[in-house]
Amino acid sequence: MKVTQERLPESQVGLNIEIAPEASRNAYEKMVQNLARSSNIPGFRKGKVPRRILLQRIGNDRIKAAALEELIQKSLQDAIEQESIKALGQPNLRSNFDELLGQYNPGDAISFSVAVDVPPSIELSDYNNLSVKAEEVVYQPEKVDDFINQRREQKADLVPVEERAAQMGDVAFVDFKGILPEEENKEIEGGSATNFQVEIAEGKLIPGMVEGIVGMKPEETKDVSVTFPEDYPQEDLAGKPAIFSITLNELKTKELPELDDDFAQEVSDDEFDTFAAYKESIEKQFKEQAQNQTNNNINEAIAAALMEQNQIDLPESLVQEETTSVLTKTLMQMQQMGLDVKQLFNSDNVPMLRDNARPEAVSNLQKSLILQEIAKKEALEPNQAAIEAKIAEIRPQLAGQEVDEERLLEMVTSDLLSENTYKFLRDKAQIELVPEGSLKEAPEEQEQDSETEIETVEVEVVADSE
């Protein structure tokens, strides 16, 4: 068997395979023998069918086609092994099979061509002198106070209010029913509730509703006029005036716990004995979060610079595999959000979804391959101790779940390799940190993102009923 190679686009190798006359004859004869042993032809015992009868019943063309198909498969595998080619996915036959069948004469030499996906070759540009801009996420002490106050609100006791009217910050339990006065007082579908609990705060319910509750006393009923926002998700209500009849059943106020050692012990499940230690821990978390976000921004800027400087010819088999991975992750995220994925992931939509996921898949592959090549050149692969320590760190999070140990090892190794490589690149790069929000997406991209979010979110007419 004679094999010649040629380099093709999209990280493929073309193989021209010439099959010797003897191999051509042997493939045909072997197929005839196999069919003679396996064919059921009336009047003959299996394995005892005369050659002439077999050719008449099955047809020489069908036997030649089966022999040629098997000959191509075996010769291709032998050629890949002979040429030491690291093939990805399934090879593609470049020759026309029908034309080959017309040319195939057992005992004569025959040639065919295939295309084989191979790992892309990467010629890295200089990565030691990158210059990038990235947004700096600055630690904000007030976020610590906001977080602690949120926990304080969660632990607040609701105390009945009897001697005054409702005011902002209270918690009201109300019955309400909405109508559309311009549509003959038509009742709003989904616009009513019984003993609904709502905090009297800006942004709750339809604009104007909670403000209308202010000043009311328990057992009082009041009509509150509001107008649905122009951008209200339910189009048949957007911009329309409405009247809500509201009855205040009960009024309560929040009694917040003191920010003391008892509070710290309660919210931390006794992890911290003092409020000072608890707050110090939260401060540390927010500082680390800000630094991690800054590092992530730097990493993204470095990755973008690397991909701009290094164009990689990707094999289609890798792109398709990564596209499947991207869609699988999307599906799992949607399921975790409680969305019905069957409505989106069906036979009609999958081709479109794959097209949409392809750019992300290509970007993921390019980024990963570049990082792997740098890690290889700089010997940045994680050692066994680091891998074991990382697995031990995340193991508690996997408690109660079925764990594919091989997959876990692969993911941890890959993550650590990326961390090592990004750290190496950050130390080498010239990095200009700019204020958060100063490197924004183009307006068209922002608008497109907003439209996508609107399409995937369902909003209740007024509020979730309890």
Side-chain angles (χ1 to χ4, degrees):
M1 180 175 61
K2 182 181 178 182
V3 182
T4 56
Q5 294 189 36
E6 63 173 317
R7 194 73 189 182
L8 300 176
E10 297 182 353
S11 194
Q12 287 188 322
V13 170
L15 300 179
N16 188 64
I17 302 171
E18 183 179 332
I19 300 171
E22 185 179 355
S24 167
R25 182 189 304 109
N26 289 343
Y28 179 80
E29 292 300 327
K30 183 179 179 182
M31 183 58 64
V32 171
Q33 293 171 14
N34 289 341
L35 290 172
R37 285 194 296 267
S38 61
S39 298
N40 289 315
I41 296 179
F44 299 94
R45 286 184 298 165
K46 186 178 290 188
K48 299 295 182 179
V49 181
R51 182 187 183 99
R52 178 178 56 84
I53 300 298
L54 183 73
L55 295 176
Q56 287 177 351
R57 291 296 182 92
I58 297 181
N60 191 45
D61 285 346
R62 288 178 61 189
I63 296 175
K64 281 175 59 179
L68 179 60
E69 185 175 349
E70 193 164 299
L71 183 61
I72 289 173
Q73 290 293 334
K74 184 179 185 308
S75 301
L76 174 56
Q77 294 304 317
D78 291 344
I80 289 174
E81 185 176 344
Q82 174 183 307
E83 300 296 308
S84 300
I85 294 172
K86 188 176 180 181
L88 303 174
Q90 290 297 320
N92 296 317
L93 182 66
R94 299 174 71 196
S95 302
N96 183 281
F97 185 81
D98 290 336
E99 291 179 3
L100 286 175
L101 184 59
Q103 298 166 10
Y104 179 37
N105 184 30
D108 290 348
I110 187 170
S111 298
F112 65 94
S113 296
V114 295
V116 182
D117 282 355
V118 295
S121 58
I122 304 173
E123 297 294 334
L124 289 173
S125 62
D126 181 22
Y127 52 80
N128 288 297
N129 296 291
L130 296 174
S131 179
V132 299
K133 285 184 179 181
E135 293 184 1
E136 181 181 18
V137 179
V138 179
Y139 163 68
Q140 300 175 13
E142 59 270 22
K143 287 190 174 182
V144 173
D145 294 332
D146 290 342
F147 176 82
I148 292 175
N149 284 331
Q150 287 175 10
R151 298 304 308 273
R152 191 184 186 196
E153 291 271 350
Q154 293 168 1
K155 297 296 181 180
D157 293 324
L158 292 181
V159 180
V161 175
E162 298 175 353
E163 298 180 356
R164 64 168 174 80
Q167 61 187 31
M168 298 299 286
D170 287 340
V171 175
F173 294 79
V174 298
D175 300 338
F176 63 79
K177 181 170 70 174
I179 60 172
L180 299 174
E182 294 183 353
E183 298 182 19
E184 300 180 349
N185 292 332
K186 174 185 174 183
E187 187 173 338
I188 299 171
E189 185 177 352
S192 61
T194 301
N195 211 36
F196 183 83
Q197 178 180 334
V198 60
E199 182 181 357
I200 306 178
E202 187 178 350
K204 303 290 184 179
L205 305 182
I206 302 300
M209 280 188 69
V210 292
E211 290 81 357
I213 299 173
V214 173
M216 292 180 65
K217 292 185 177 181
E219 300 184 5
E220 181 181 347
T221 299
K222 178 181 178 182
D223 287 343
V224 177
S225 297
V226 300
T227 300
F228 283 94
E230 293 291 341
D231 59 352
Y232 195 69
Q234 195 167 331
E235 293 182 1
D236 61 338
L237 294 175
K240 291 185 177 180
I243 298 174
F244 282 89
S245 176
I246 301 175
T247 299
L248 178 58
N249 299 325
E250 190 177 5
L251 187 66
K252 294 185 177 183
T253 187
K254 291 181 179 180
E255 191 173 89
L256 300 174
E258 294 293 328
L259 295 178
D260 53 18
D261 295 347
D262 290 339
F263 170 79
Q265 292 165 17
E266 182 180 3
V267 296
S268 70
D269 294 327
D270 292 325
E271 182 179 353
F272 299 99
D273 293 331
T274 67
F275 179 76
Y278 170 70
K279 185 173 183 180
E280 182 181 350
S281 170
I282 302 300
E283 288 172 344
K284 181 181 177 183
Q285 290 179 36
F286 273 83
K287 287 176 181 177
E288 290 177 349
Q289 185 182 69
Q291 185 59 57
N292 289 338
Q293 289 174 339
T294 299
N295 285 342
N296 287 339
N297 291 342
I298 296 172
N299 292 349
E300 289 175 9
I302 287 174
L306 288 170
M307 287 191 288
E308 186 176 345
Q309 294 178 12
N310 299 276
Q311 300 300 316
I312 303 176
D313 216 6
L314 295 171
E316 185 61 24
S317 55
L318 279 185
V319 175
Q320 290 300 327
E321 183 181 331
E322 181 63 22
T323 299
T324 299
S325 177
V326 170
L327 284 181
T328 301
K329 289 177 183 176
T330 302
L331 182 146
M332 292 174 64
Q333 290 169 353
M334 293 176 66
Q335 285 180 323
Q336 290 171 356
M337 294 168 61
L339 300 177
D340 183 4
V341 297
K342 292 180 181 179
Q343 293 184 1
L344 183 61
F345 286 81
N346 56 53
S347 57
D348 294 332
N349 291 338
V350 165
M352 178 193 69
L353 293 171
R354 291 190 69 86
D355 287 343
N356 292 341
R358 186 183 177 92
E360 182 180 346
V362 169
S363 177
N364 290 348
L365 283 171
Q366 289 179 334
K367 188 188 307 180
S368 176
L369 289 169
I370 292 170
L371 292 177
Q372 288 175 23
E373 189 68 15
I374 294 173
K376 181 180 176 182
K377 284 183 175 293
E378 303 294 339
L380 300 172
E381 289 82 0
N383 58 41
Q384 189 63 31
I387 294 171
E388 291 175 359
K390 188 67 174 180
I391 290 177
E393 180 185 331
I394 64 176
R395 183 78 69 182
Q397 302 171 26
L398 304 174
Q401 302 180 38
E402 254 186 62
V403 178
D404 183 335
E405 295 295 335
E406 187 175 339
R407 177 63 177 153
L408 176 61
L409 176 62
E410 179 185 330
M411 290 177 62
V412 167
T413 304
S414 176
D415 288 346
L416 287 175
L417 183 140
S418 293
E419 287 179 20
N420 292 349
T421 309
Y422 275 128
K423 184 180 185 306
F424 169 85
L425 293 168
R426 289 199 303 269
D427 291 341
K428 295 281 186 179
Q430 297 179 13
I431 302 167
E432 180 185 350
L433 293 177
V434 298
E436 187 176 0
S438 59
L439 300 177
K440 291 184 177 178
E441 294 177 332
E444 290 183 3
E445 293 176 342
Q446 289 181 327
E447 183 178 345
Q448 192 175 33
D449 289 346
S450 298
E451 291 174 355
T452 303
E453 291 174 1
I454 290 173
E455 289 175 358
T456 58
V457 176
E458 294 182 3
V459 183
E460 290 294 329
V461 174
V462 176
D464 293 332
S465 296
E466 294 186 352

